[in-house]
């Protein structure tokens, strides 16, 4: 396994206002690095058919495809075997953080006594990393000193929590933390969507259906101007967004499983994650934010 050093996992680079340093930090820290992890997501989490897995698996039980070296034996055929949930999962870097820093160089296989605390801490760390992801993007894109300061404080607080020891980590009230961050994320969402026109350029029939938690599963939204649209928590399963412009569209929590993103412009979409992109369909023409990787299964 690749060794993760303490120095690879640094605190957020404040000196705030240094957005290029923040971008560099996001690229380096908020990226999953499976060779630097002991396959935590393949053991700690629960699988079920409703989440895109062909089998049910209890949390804490290793997936039958996880090999002794912590690699996946069916990595190259996940989709064909029905493991869409694995393709669509991204720990954002929480896994290598746990195995490299919180439990340095200790695997759950070599030290079974540590399994339970490690898996419980992984679940919390994953939530913290998700918050870091959204807060750091919000800070990158927000306007105004008050909001910038509030986001900076929230980010520093969340970052410092990730350095806690396992006992303290599992006591974190993640819901309260999220609720506190949410008001800032919403405010930045309104700012960014406003800059891009709040989805007002979409056709009238579509405009009426846009909005928070909109159910747009299977809906044809292709080749449309969806700039600044509010798609917060929207259900976009198998919807057609091909060749649409989603600049400034807010996609936090949107379900993009099997959505068609071929040729779509998401380069400036807000709160888009690698997991959402991995679970969708796209191609070489799909434009993504710089921080996200083009999924290898896209043609
Ligand atoms: S199928 Fe592979 S990636 Fe998915 S949980 Fe099992 S070992 Fe991990």
């Amino acid at each position: 396994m690749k060794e993760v050093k303490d120095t690879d996992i640094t605190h957020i680079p404040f000196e705030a206002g240094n957005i290029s340093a923040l971008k560099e930090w996001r690229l380096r820290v908020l990226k999953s690095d499976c060779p630097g992890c002991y396959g935590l997501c393949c053991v700690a989490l629960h699988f079920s058919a409703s989440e895109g897995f062909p089998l049910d698996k209890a949390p804490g039980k290793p997936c039958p495809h996880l090999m002794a070296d912590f690699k996946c034996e069916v990595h190259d055929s996940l989709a064909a075997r029905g493991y869409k949930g694995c393709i669509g999962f991204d720990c954002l870097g929480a896994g290598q953080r746990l195995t490299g820093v919180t439990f340095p160089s200790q695997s759950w296989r070599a030290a079974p006594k540590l399994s339970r605390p490690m898996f419980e801490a992984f679940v919390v760390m994953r939530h913290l990393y998700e918050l870091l992801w959204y807060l750091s993007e919000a800070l990158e894109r927000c306007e105004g000193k008050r909001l910038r300061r509030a986001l900076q404080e929230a980010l520093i607080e969340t970052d410092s929590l990730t350095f806690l020891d396992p006992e303290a980590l599992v006591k974190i009230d993640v819901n309260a933390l999220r609720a506190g961050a949410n008001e800032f994320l919403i405010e930045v969402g309104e700012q960014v969507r406003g800059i891009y026109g709040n989805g007002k350029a979409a056709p009238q029939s579509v405009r009426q259906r846009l909005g928070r938690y909109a159910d747009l599963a299977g809906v044809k939204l292709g080749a449309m101007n969806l700039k600044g649209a509010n798609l917060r928590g929207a259900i976009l399963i198998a919807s057609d967004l091909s060749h649409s412009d989603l600049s400034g569209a807010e996609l936090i929590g949107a379900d993009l499983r099997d959505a068609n993103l071929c040729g779509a412009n998401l380069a400036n979409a807000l709160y888009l994650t690698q997991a959402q992109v991995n679970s969708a369909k796209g191609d070489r023409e799909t434009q993504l934010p710089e921080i996200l990787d083009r999924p290898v299964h896209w043609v």
Side-chain angles (χ1 to χ4, degrees), residues 95-273:
Q96 72 258 25
R97 172 57 171 278
L98 248 292
T99 51
V101 178
T102 317
F103 294 88
S105 305
Q106 299 175 90
S107 93
W108 48 272
R109 274 200 175 123
K113 268 200 306 200
L114 288 179
S115 300
R116 192 159 172 195
M118 200 179 280
F119 300 156
E120 287 173 356
F122 173 66
V123 172
V124 175
M125 188 67 89
R126 171 67 178 72
H127 285 305
L128 293 178
Y129 264 60
E130 190 176 62
L131 260 184
L132 288 175
W133 176 270
Y134 291 131
L135 287 168
S136 54
E137 182 177 6
L139 181 60
E140 255 185 65
R141 300 185 69 165
C142 78
E143 301 283 344
K145 274 188 192 163
R146 175 198 54 83
L147 191 51
R148 191 165 291 130
R149 198 174 311 120
L151 278 163
Q152 198 179 303
E153 283 170 14
L155 198 47
I156 289 171
E157 185 197 345
T158 309
D159 182 47
S160 65
L161 293 174
T162 67
F163 286 85
L164 293 176
D165 60 35
E167 294 76 25
L169 258 180
V170 295
K171 289 186 188 143
I172 293 173
D173 185 344
V174 175
N175 289 335
L177 209 59
R178 272 189 175 158
N182 216 17
E183 65 176 288
F184 305 129
L185 299 183
I186 289 172
E187 200 175 338
V188 175
E190 283 166 2
Q191 280 185 350
V192 173
R193 284 192 281 109
I195 292 167
Y196 286 91
N198 280 319
K200 287 188 182 141
Q204 167 76 8
S205 57
V206 172
R207 251 187 356 250
Q208 289 167 345
R209 301 188 64 178
L210 296 177
R212 202 171 168 195
Y213 305 128
D215 185 352
L216 296 161
V219 173
K220 287 193 185 306
L221 298 163
M224 280 183 194
N225 183 340
L226 297 171
K227 286 183 177 181
N230 183 359
L231 293 168
R232 195 178 172 89
I235 301 165
L236 290 158
I237 300 170
S239 62
D240 177 9
L241 290 156
S242 59
H243 302 283
S244 285
D245 189 344
L246 288 132
S247 301
E250 186 178 346
L251 287 161
I252 196 166
D255 192 338
L256 286 165
R257 282 177 291 168
D258 291 325
N260 181 355
L261 303 179
C262 293
N265 181 2
L266 292 127
N268 288 302
L270 182 66
Y271 302 141
L272 185 65
T273 65

Side-chain angles (χ1 to χ4, degrees), residues 42 47 63 65-66 72 74 78 83 86:
C42 308
F47 294 178
C63 168
H65 298 300
L66 186 66
C72 168
V74 295
L78 286 171
Y83 283 90
C86 299

